[in-house]
Amino acid sequence: LVDLTPKVRECIEAYYQYNKGVAPQRIIFYRDGVANNQFANECNEEIKSIMRACLEHGGGDYVPELIYIVAQQRTRCRLAQTDQSGRAFGNVACGTVVDKDIVSLPPTGQQPNNFYMVSQHGLKGTARPMHYHVLRNDAGIPLEEIERLFIASK
């Protein structure tokens, strides 16, 4: 993203003005269009830009919790309901979340940090889930609660 630092700083300052001198204590940043192999470079640079904006706003005393989430639309994953015999017969319901079995596993001892969610009805063919990756979670919010953010906002 081009010029991310001033854009984030502008958002922080707008929040600060609206809330009568109180800066956000938590920033949730959603990002689309990043491939897995770009996580280390592009996302880390964006996280640095966000934190630089915070530093410019409030100096070293202002360090909000950052939750940085990448949403990937183009996945090969397809989800379908099955009947009692195990045969696929239709799309899963809108809002279906899968955070076990088919997600990417983190290094041993860490909690999974990604999930699939079907956020729209499949009008033709099989509904395509989005793949969400939580790359930074300073707040320590459990993945299940982050998933609820998406369901509540649809």
Side-chain angles (χ1 to χ4, degrees):
L1 296 173
V2 179
D3 297 327
L4 183 60
T5 298
K7 291 175 184 173
V8 171
R9 189 179 62 243
E10 183 180 320
C11 292
I12 292 170
E13 289 170 1
Y15 183 99
Y16 184 84
Q17 293 297 321
Y18 184 81
N19 289 286
K20 299 176 178 81
V22 177
Q25 297 304 302
R26 181 176 295 151
I27 297 173
I28 302 174
F29 191 90
Y30 296 92
R31 176 70 159 94
D32 183 20
V34 180
N36 290 28
N37 62 354
Q38 296 174 312
F39 285 175
N41 294 329
E42 190 167 336
C43 294
N44 284 336
E45 286 304 313
E46 290 176 4
I47 289 169
K48 287 178 188 174
S49 293
I50 294 166
M51 298 315 288
R52 191 175 311 116
C54 296
L55 182 65
E56 289 176 8
H57 173 76
D61 294 335
Y62 177 57
V63 184
E65 296 173 336
L66 175 63
I67 301 172
Y68 184 95
I69 301 169
V70 172
Q72 295 177 317
Q73 295 181 39
R74 291 171 174 62
T75 67
R76 293 184 177 165
C77 178
R78 300 295 180 267
L79 303 174
Q81 292 184 17
T82 58
D83 61 18
Q84 290 179 345
S85 66
R87 294 183 304 211
F89 74 88
N91 283 323
V92 295
C94 183
T96 297
V97 173
V98 176
D99 59 7
K100 293 177 179 49
D101 298 328
I102 64 171
V103 298
S104 308
L105 295 176
T108 305
Q110 295 180 9
Q111 295 298 315
N113 64 346
N114 65 100
F115 59 95
Y116 288 93
M117 187 177 90
V118 177
S119 56
Q120 73 285 336
H121 296 285
L123 298 176
K124 187 174 183 182
T126 306
R128 297 172 64 163
M130 297 271 289
H131 194 183
Y132 296 96
H133 300 265
V134 181
L135 299 184
R136 182 163 169 164
N137 184 358
D138 293 342
I141 296 174
L143 189 62
E144 293 78 19
E145 289 184 34
I146 292 174
E147 293 165 4
R148 285 190 208 116
L149 287 174
F150 290 90
I151 294 170
S153 64
K154 65 174 188 160

